[in-house]
Amino acid sequence: MLVIESWVINDDNPVPVPSAVVLEALRSRIDRGLLETWLTSSSGRSLVFVTNTQRAMVMLLEEEGDSGEHAVDPGAQGSSDGFVLSDGQDDEYRDEDTVPVGEAFRLVKQIVDTGSWPSDARRVVDR
């Protein structure tokens, strides 16, 4: 029997967020100035989305304390700031370690839908 993970946004309603509406939820949070979103799966994994509205850091963590893996944009030049965390910290990341926000949305939707990165996703394992 195939069991599909369900995902919830940590600081929102504890009701699972289906992949069909996860992007709407992320956009709504961004519109409210919430640029950091943590989703937790029913199997205990975490999916992290932090954006400056142009680029995003997307990380998938297997368990608490895991260094995980994150999406990358090989060859991207420079860095971007404005990645404001929920505690008010304003981070700057190398563009190579983030992806354009449209790509980040695609990655998050796929992970919430299937539990896995898209086969063509570029990512680095940090473990």
Side-chain angles (χ1 to χ4, degrees), residues 3-78:
V3 177
I4 302 292
E5 287 176 295
S6 60
W7 294 84
V8 297
I9 295 176
N10 287 8
D11 58 350
D12 275 355
N13 190 326
V15 175
V17 178
S19 64
V21 298
V22 71
L23 299 185
E24 179 182 325
L26 288 176
R27 286 184 181 108
S28 174
R29 291 174 58 80
I30 292 166
D31 288 346
R32 293 180 306 190
L34 301 171
L35 303 180
E36 176 185 20
T37 301
W38 284 71
L39 295 101
T40 302
S41 81
S42 54
S43 68
R45 299 191 308 155
S46 295
L47 178 58
V48 184
F49 173 90
V50 182
T51 186
N52 66 357
T53 72
Q54 301 300 308
R55 299 189 69 81
M57 168 73 72
V58 179
M59 297 183 297
L60 183 60
L61 312 172
E62 291 298 320
E63 59 193 23
E64 190 173 329
D66 179 29
S67 299
E69 47 197 65
H70 72 277
V72 295
D73 187 0
Q77 300 294 311

